[in-house]
Amino acid sequence: MAQSSLKPLASRLQQSLDTMHLRATELAGPLRKLDGSSRPWSHYLLQPEFAVDAANQLTDNLDQPFSHPFTLASRLFAQLNYSDEMALGDARNTLQIPGLLAVPTNVIALAQSLNSAKGEFQQLTAEIKEALAPHPTLERDRILRDMLADAGYPRAHLRHCYRQILLCPEKPDALALSWIKARKSIKKVSVDWCEKKLVQLDPQGQDAGIQFQRQLLAGLHKNRHHDLRQVQIQSRPNLQVAEIFRTEQEEIYRQVGYSAMPVLVNGGDNRDFPEFTRVDHNPPASRRRTRKDLKIEQAPYLAALRVHLIAAT
């Protein structure tokens, strides 16, 4: 696709990113002030290991990062770029701190404004990706990153930019919280499928890593062709949040979503939560019996496809 066809989209990109960062800044100030309020606002942030790691990154490893929960949340909401520490890890990873924060209606409105800006940015990047559809996957990603850099945001963390702040704009009668355990998906794949996917990633044969994986695949002994498995792991448990509204006739139960970030709940006049389910900081350990998928080799055979081999017996 000619570069000229991307110009209208590129011209909108900087404004969209500027707006999103501005909305995050506008939310951060009033949210931080709640930590110093003379009448405290309720908070309930969970501290599993991954949340503690996230808090330490957001507060420059200061002691007791959860002692100022609203400031911590404001930094998490405003973390729209990769930090140096985040850039060293898996680019797909996100900082996650689950829990609840009671907030006033003006903070709810500011969060809604940020969510709207995020939605518009996600729609714009979807249009860019659609325009780049004829290009190979790696080239599409490179062009998009170049466009983000040209817009002044070379470190934009797309997953952070896309994810919405969960809200309870109307104070519910109750909140239900529960841990959803991490999941693993294992799918049998063929040599032909793997080869096709690798070619799609690098049709010009210019990526040394992809070409090395194609060579590995070509050298795989025939008696192991049936041992290829694509493994997709959602490694972190999720905190599921639902709100409950009660009438004389019924109880209305509505899913709010999975709390990767604190859910902002309308605190009303008493600045408190409604009744809610308390859960342990860490999700319960799995009681499932040992599964045969533990025989899968830990190191991926084809890293680009997350394809592993069944361990030889």
Side-chain angles (χ1 to χ4, degrees):
M1 172 166 292
Q3 288 295 105
S4 59
S5 62
L6 287 174
K7 284 185 178 179
L9 297 172
S11 66
R12 294 161 50 196
L13 195 57
Q14 180 176 351
Q15 182 179 358
S16 180
L17 284 157
D18 286 346
T19 299
M20 183 169 54
H21 281 263
L22 175 62
R23 297 290 178 263
T25 300
E26 291 173 343
L27 170 63
L31 193 55
R32 285 196 303 268
K33 288 181 180 179
L34 300 182
D35 276 322
S37 177
S38 57
R39 289 180 55 206
W41 291 82
S42 294
H43 53 86
Y44 180 71
L45 297 187
L46 297 173
Q47 300 180 39
E49 185 177 351
F50 64 82
V52 173
D53 289 342
N56 286 331
Q57 289 188 48
L58 291 164
T59 57
D60 301 322
N61 294 306
L62 296 176
D63 290 337
Q64 300 180 333
F66 287 87
S67 60
H68 294 84
F70 295 93
T71 299
L72 180 59
S74 74
R75 293 187 179 185
L76 179 61
F77 295 152
Q79 188 66 55
L80 303 175
N81 295 328
Y82 286 104
S83 65
D84 289 338
E85 188 170 354
M86 292 163 66
L88 295 174
D90 189 330
R92 295 165 299 185
N93 287 343
T94 58
L95 300 181
Q96 298 186 26
I97 301 175
L100 307 171
L101 294 175
V103 297
T105 54
N106 71 304
V107 170
I108 295 280
L110 290 169
Q112 289 172 326
S113 181
L114 174 56
N115 281 347
S116 178
K118 285 185 165 198
E120 291 174 7
F121 172 71
Q122 186 171 12
Q123 176 60 37
L124 177 56
T125 57
E127 292 177 33
I128 293 171
K129 291 177 182 179
E130 184 177 357
L132 293 171
H135 294 266
T137 302
L138 295 178
E139 187 177 350
R140 284 202 307 270
D141 292 343
R142 178 187 60 76
I143 293 173
L144 177 56
R145 296 308 311 184
D146 288 346
M147 292 176 68
L148 292 168
D150 291 340
Y153 296 89
R155 287 194 168 193
H157 191 317
L158 293 182
R159 290 196 173 192
H160 277 207
C161 291
Y162 295 160
R163 63 183 184 176
Q164 298 278 296
I165 300 171
L166 298 182
L167 304 171
C168 295
E170 297 182 17
K171 189 171 185 177
D173 294 304
L175 290 163
L177 279 62
S178 60
W179 280 113
I180 304 298
K181 296 176 184 177
R183 298 181 296 274
K184 178 187 288 187
S185 169
I186 301 173
K187 180 175 70 174
K188 184 177 181 179
V189 293
S190 67
V191 170
D192 289 343
W193 182 89
C194 293
E195 172 66 12
K196 180 180 178 181
K197 291 295 183 182
L198 290 171
V199 170
Q200 288 176 350
L201 288 173
D202 184 34
Q204 306 301 321
Q206 297 176 344
D207 187 288
I210 299 297
Q211 294 308 304
F212 175 71
Q213 290 174 66
R214 290 184 66 188
Q215 292 173 16
L216 278 178
L217 187 63
L220 184 66
H221 197 282
K222 285 187 177 181
N223 65 7
R224 303 216 65 191
H225 281 195
H226 297 290
D227 292 344
L228 294 166
R229 300 290 186 274
Q230 185 182 49
V231 180
Q232 294 180 304
I233 301 174
Q234 180 236 304
S235 58
R236 291 175 180 168
N238 283 314
L239 181 69
Q240 182 174 261
V241 179
E243 56 184 359
I244 301 170
F245 293 92
R246 299 182 178 123
T247 68
E248 292 183 0
Q249 293 77 28
E250 61 180 342
E251 189 171 83
I252 302 170
Y253 182 96
R254 188 184 75 85
Q255 290 285 352
V256 178
Y258 295 114
S259 171
M261 303 188 293
V263 179
L264 302 185
V265 182
N266 190 329
D269 294 334
N270 63 0
R271 307 188 177 199
D272 204 351
F273 300 122
E275 62 179 86
F276 70 96
T277 311
R278 284 167 173 76
V279 296
D280 291 336
H281 285 289
N282 291 289
S286 175
R287 296 182 181 178
R288 292 182 180 178
R289 298 173 61 184
T290 301
R291 292 169 39 168
K292 63 181 180 181
D293 59 52
L294 295 179
K295 297 179 182 178
I296 291 176
E297 292 182 356
Q298 184 173 3
Y301 185 66
L302 305 173
L305 304 178
R306 300 191 189 98
V307 168
H308 296 240
L309 281 171
I310 294 177
T313 55

